Amino acid sequence: MTLPTVAQKYRQHSPLVFCLTNTVVTNFTANVLLASGASPAMTDLPGEAGPFAAVASAVLVNLGTPSTEQMVAMEEAVLSASAAGTPWVLDPVAVGALPVRTDFARRIVQHHPTLIRGNASEILALAGKDSSGRGVDAADTVQAALDAGRELAKEHECVVAISGEADAIIDTNRTVLVHTNGIGLTRITGGGCALGAFNAGMLAVREDPFEAAIAAHGLYGLAAEKALAASTGPGSFAVAFLDALAATEPEELENLKYEELNHG
Amino acid sequence: MTLPTVAQKYRQHSPLVFCLTNTVVTNFTANVLLASGASPAMTDLPGEAGPFAAVASAVLVNLGTPSTEQMVAMEEAVLSASAAGTPWVLDPVAVGALPVRTDFARRIVQHHPTLIRGNASEILALAGKDSSGRGVDAADTVQAALDAGRELAKEHECVVAISGEADAIIDTNRTVLVHTNGIGLTRITGGGCALGAFNAGMLAVREDPFEAAIAAHGLYGLAAEKALAASTGPGSFAVAFLDALAATEPEELENLKYEELNHG
Amino acid sequence: MTLPTVAQKYRQHSPLVFCLTNTVVTNFTANVLLASGASPAMTDLPGEAGPFAAVASAVLVNLGTPSTEQMVAMEEAVLSASAAGTPWVLDPVAVGALPVRTDFARRIVQHHPTLIRGNASEILALAGKDSSGRGVDAADTVQAALDAGRELAKEHECVVAISGEADAIIDTNRTVLVHTNGIGLTRITGGGCALGAFNAGMLAVREDPFEAAIAAHGLYGLAAEKALAASTGPGSFAVAFLDALAATEPEELENLKYEELNHG
């Protein structure tokens, strides 16, 4: 399997990505999935989340703005996805900085996520290390979170993706840095959160999850580079990014710059 | 009454459209209403939804992402609208595919909606027929859902609007197909949901609901055609669509292409 | 302290603005904060809102679409902000028009907001006067709400900002009218709500709150004027506004047109 092939399968299958996510980014997340060729669907209701997670192509659980009821639905979705073999992504937004979601994240991460995606501070905090995140912003470098990412990958037998100046993709025995210029994505809300959903969709292809994550981060970053060149500020960047995501072809992943690191 | 006259009245009256809708499309829905000349207002709180439905110009109930509390507010709004004679629209998002909202939709549809708007799979499911929807996507053709739409229109004495390759508008004894190119609307989130709100606003004019629905679907589709021509992808389409909706004049409905079908 | 200096400090400090706001405008609010140089963060969860309000740079409480749980979190945030000395803004959306939030607003306003921002109808209603708002729209003039604003400012020892044809900024002994052309902001959703968040961020600079509010309304209005000139409708206005907000320099406040009124 090569990266372009994974991305081609994504477009062919148009995965149905069930997102339990935060109220700030629901719209952008759905539009990112649509632009990239997938089909988004949301419900945060107990009694629906479980059955839907069993039939969806993949599930995203993003802890940005949990409500008591949404957390019940999330736990239901995660148990159901895990039982049905549906790939699921955990995005531990602001874990470490905010208490309720930190406890919740540490509990649901036990249910075998296929991938964990966060910034460096969130990955450090989820692994139980000291972190310096404030709110949703990372205050730690990707480099500083690599060991924490490797611990999480090993403990939960999953892929860990750390977003930052370069994105690190880690599994139980490999570490890769994906080099794209994603600076524009840090200037709009939802840049990271929607990437969690895109990862979920790429996992739905059911190829190597490590390659799926590289393909997701790579395509996303390539589209962000195009959008940066085509825009004059954060408003026009968000618009150009969706256009670029729809126009970026799987083959462009052939030229993606990434480097394999010594795995710790 | 002619279609342009209905649309002119909409602009003159600037109807106050009370939307109980899903978290993915709240922003886009409000912007569609504003761009088209109406005034959006949202609250999902029991104790507010009832009184507000009695004084609003029209009400939209969209089942995209219900919470337990929102469903209480929805039922309150629907009872109040029905008692006060406020026109209301039911958008049965993902009914048939997800269980809790399916039961809920079948219960509140008993309270005399003025119009039901959905895709073919949702209309089939609401009418109790087999459907093949997955999440929010229709997997059935408008043609296949015409009879189900007619049954719903007859049973609830309401208008039924089915969105698809062409949009079908149905009442107890008429069926019309509105032909516009709305393909752009399927590539962004909220295209259909916001149309439910636009229908509600058009019903607030208090003319023939059947004509109101044709006017809503017609103006919406004409704006979508302009936006498609003016955009280069889904991001720029959404922006151009709001601009086009604000710029499309009621008189343009004179050239709307629609055909009357034999009513079953 | 001069207006440009307040705005420069805002950019230097990049305040962490904790927003408890409505579901319609979360995304736009976060993007306004990011574009202007601040850092947005949202949580509506009891147990998180209190601790976070104590460490955030400022807090926004916007009553647009309260849920039962969000109101618990809001009260927790307000008590904590008040105790910790964190500046906080109350945006009493639709107070007067809708009952539950009206009672709630009158209760939490007792906890020493640093600033209250609303349209004329909301300010009149919060002060217990007759108002003619319907939903979120003002049906009263700023002029008609000046006395109500002064009463609120005196009673709660806070700044009151009234958005309208010109924006009035009021404290216990001063009244200023800020003159910018903000018409574009009334044609998109969230124009006023995001301004509440921007005010909160500007208060985080911890200079004179009265000047902070003038700086916030001034910069916001200047960006809106640029966006109006650069756009062709409400869709492109929203995009251009975010671009303009990111590009507007603190020094431009030197040319802001405002007038001091006789303070009642």
Side-chain angles (χ1 to χ4, degrees):
Chain A
M1 189 63 36
T2 64
L3 297 180
T5 310
V6 174
Q8 273 153 6
K9 286 199 169 184
Y10 178 93
R11 290 221 178 157
Q12 282 158 15
H13 296 188
S14 187
L16 179 64
V17 183
F18 170 24
C19 304
L20 300 108
T21 190
N22 71 75
T23 57
V24 186
V25 304
T26 42
N27 186 272
F28 185 68
T29 299
N31 277 328
V32 159
L33 288 171
L34 282 165
S36 64
S39 179
M42 271 84 164
T43 177
D44 304 297
L45 197 59
E48 291 194 340
F52 195 39
V55 299
S57 311
V59 177
L60 167 71
V61 172
N62 172 303
L63 303 182
T65 61
S67 69
T68 302
E69 184 164 286
Q70 193 196 35
M71 285 189 286
V72 174
M74 283 172 168
E75 192 141 22
E76 193 182 295
V78 157
L79 283 165
S80 168
S82 189
T86 310
W88 75 277
V89 170
L90 174 63
D91 193 332
V93 181
V95 160
L98 293 169
V100 180
R101 71 190 63 194
T102 300
D103 291 347
F104 182 69
R106 290 192 177 137
R107 194 166 79 238
I108 62 167
V109 75
Q110 304 307 324
H111 298 297
H112 311 297
T114 318
L115 184 146
I116 300 168
R117 190 217 74 85
N119 64 37
S121 297
E122 292 156 353
I123 295 301
L124 281 162
L126 188 61
K129 316 289 179 195
D130 280 349
S131 70
S132 10
R134 56 163 215 172
V136 298
D137 294 340
D140 302 283
T141 64
V142 170
Q143 198 66 38
L146 289 178
D147 282 342
R150 285 166 186 146
E151 281 181 36
L152 287 172
K154 197 165 176 182
E155 185 181 348
H156 303 291
E157 294 181 58
C158 68
V159 176
V160 173
I162 313 175
S163 295
E165 59 285 5
D167 294 350
I169 314 296
I170 298 168
D171 74 359
T172 47
N173 55 13
R174 291 171 289 182
T175 302
V176 151
L177 283 186
V178 178
H179 293 286
T180 57
N181 179 7
I183 187 70
L185 292 165
T186 66
R187 294 176 181 157
I188 60 169
T189 196
C193 294
L195 177 53
F198 191 35
N199 267 294
M202 210 62 92
L203 293 171
V205 167
R206 304 290 183 110
E207 298 295 339
D208 177 7
F210 185 72
E211 284 197 20
I214 298 173
H217 285 253
L219 261 184
Y220 206 76
L222 293 174
E225 289 181 352
K226 293 181 194 179
L228 191 67
S231 60
T232 56
S236 50
F237 175 83
V239 171
F241 178 68
L242 292 173
D243 282 5
L245 203 54
T248 300
E249 295 298 328
E251 294 70 35
E252 299 180 44
L253 282 173
E254 283 167 14
N255 304 313
L256 183 69
K257 286 180 203 137
Y258 62 97
E259 57 173 318
E260 196 145 351
L261 297 190
N262 210 318
H263 190 72
Chain B
M1 189 63 35
T2 63
L3 297 180
T5 310
V6 174
Q8 273 152 6
K9 286 199 167 185
Y10 177 93
R11 289 221 179 158
Q12 282 158 16
H13 296 189
S14 186
L16 180 63
V17 184
F18 171 24
C19 304
L20 300 108
T21 190
N22 71 74
T23 56
V24 186
V25 304
T26 43
N27 186 271
F28 186 68
T29 300
N31 277 327
V32 160
L33 288 171
L34 282 166
S36 64
S39 179
M42 272 83 162
T43 178
D44 304 299
L45 197 59
E48 291 195 339
F52 195 39
V55 300
S57 310
V59 178
L60 166 71
V61 173
N62 172 302
L63 302 182
T65 59
S67 69
T68 302
E69 183 164 286
Q70 194 196 34
M71 286 189 286
V72 173
M74 284 172 167
E75 192 140 22
E76 195 182 292
V78 156
L79 284 165
S80 170
S82 189
T86 309
W88 74 278
V89 170
L90 175 64
D91 193 332
V93 181
V95 159
L98 292 169
V100 180
R101 70 190 64 195
T102 300
D103 291 347
F104 182 68
R106 289 191 177 138
R107 192 165 83 237
I108 63 167
V109 76
Q110 304 306 325
H111 299 297
H112 311 296
T114 318
L115 184 144
I116 301 167
R117 191 215 74 84
N119 64 37
S121 297
E122 292 157 353
I123 295 301
L124 281 162
L126 188 61
K129 316 288 178 197
D130 279 348
S131 69
S132 11
R134 58 162 212 171
V136 299
D137 293 339
D140 302 282
T141 64
V142 170
Q143 199 64 38
L146 289 178
D147 282 343
R150 285 166 185 143
E151 282 180 35
L152 287 173
K154 198 166 178 182
E155 184 180 348
H156 303 291
E157 294 181 61
C158 68
V159 177
V160 173
I162 314 175
S163 294
E165 59 285 5
D167 293 350
I169 314 294
I170 299 168
D171 73 359
T172 46
N173 57 10
R174 291 170 289 183
T175 303
V176 151
L177 282 186
V178 178
H179 293 285
T180 57
N181 179 6
I183 187 70
L185 292 165
T186 65
R187 294 177 182 157
I188 60 168
T189 195
C193 295
L195 177 52
F198 191 35
N199 267 294
M202 211 61 93
L203 293 171
V205 168
R206 302 289 184 111
E207 299 294 340
D208 177 8
F210 185 72
E211 284 197 21
I214 298 174
H217 285 253
L219 262 184
Y220 206 77
L222 293 175
E225 289 180 352
K226 293 180 195 181
L228 192 65
S231 60
T232 55
S236 50
F237 175 84
V239 172
F241 178 68
L242 292 173
D243 282 4
L245 203 56
T248 301
E249 296 299 327
E251 295 70 36
E252 299 180 45
L253 282 174
E254 283 166 15
N255 304 315
L256 183 68
K257 286 180 203 137
Y258 61 97
E259 58 174 316
E260 196 146 351
L261 298 190
N262 210 319
H263 190 74
Chain C
M1 189 64 35
T2 64
L3 297 180
T5 310
V6 174
Q8 273 152 6
K9 285 199 169 184
Y10 178 93
R11 289 221 178 157
Q12 282 158 16
H13 297 188
S14 187
L16 178 64
V17 184
F18 170 24
C19 304
L20 299 109
T21 190
N22 72 73
T23 56
V24 185
V25 305
T26 42
N27 187 272
F28 186 67
T29 299
N31 277 328
V32 160
L33 288 172
L34 282 166
S36 65
S39 179
M42 273 84 161
T43 178
D44 305 297
L45 197 59
E48 291 194 339
F52 195 39
V55 299
S57 311
V59 177
L60 167 71
V61 173
N62 172 303
L63 303 182
T65 59
S67 70
T68 301
E69 183 163 287
Q70 193 196 35
M71 286 190 285
V72 174
M74 284 173 167
E75 192 141 21
E76 195 182 294
V78 157
L79 284 165
S80 169
S82 190
T86 309
W88 73 278
V89 171
L90 174 64
D91 193 332
V93 181
V95 160
L98 293 169
V100 180
R101 69 189 65 192
T102 301
D103 291 346
F104 181 70
R106 289 192 177 139
R107 194 166 79 238
I108 62 166
V109 76
Q110 304 306 324
H111 298 298
H112 312 297
T114 318
L115 185 146
I116 300 168
R117 192 218 73 86
N119 65 36
S121 298
E122 291 156 354
I123 296 300
L124 281 162
L126 188 60
K129 315 288 178 197
D130 279 350
S131 70
S132 9
R134 57 164 211 170
V136 298
D137 292 340
D140 302 283
T141 64
V142 170
Q143 198 66 38
L146 289 178
D147 282 342
R150 285 166 187 143
E151 282 180 36
L152 288 173
K154 198 167 175 181
E155 185 180 348
H156 303 292
E157 293 180 61
C158 67
V159 176
V160 173
I162 314 175
S163 295
E165 59 286 5
D167 294 351
I169 314 295
I170 298 168
D171 73 1
T172 47
N173 56 12
R174 293 171 288 183
T175 303
V176 151
L177 282 186
V178 178
H179 293 284
T180 56
N181 179 5
I183 187 71
L185 292 165
T186 66
R187 295 177 183 157
I188 60 169
T189 196
C193 294
L195 177 53
F198 191 35
N199 267 294
M202 210 61 92
L203 294 171
V205 167
R206 303 291 184 108
E207 297 296 339
D208 177 7
F210 186 72
E211 285 197 21
I214 299 173
H217 284 253
L219 263 185
Y220 206 76
L222 293 174
E225 290 181 351
K226 293 181 195 180
L228 192 65
S231 60
T232 55
S236 50
F237 175 84
V239 171
F241 178 69
L242 292 174
D243 282 5
L245 204 55
T248 300
E249 296 299 328
E251 295 70 36
E252 299 179 45
L253 282 174
E254 283 166 16
N255 304 314
L256 183 68
K257 287 182 203 136
Y258 61 97
E259 57 173 317
E260 197 146 349
L261 298 189
N262 211 319
H263 189 74

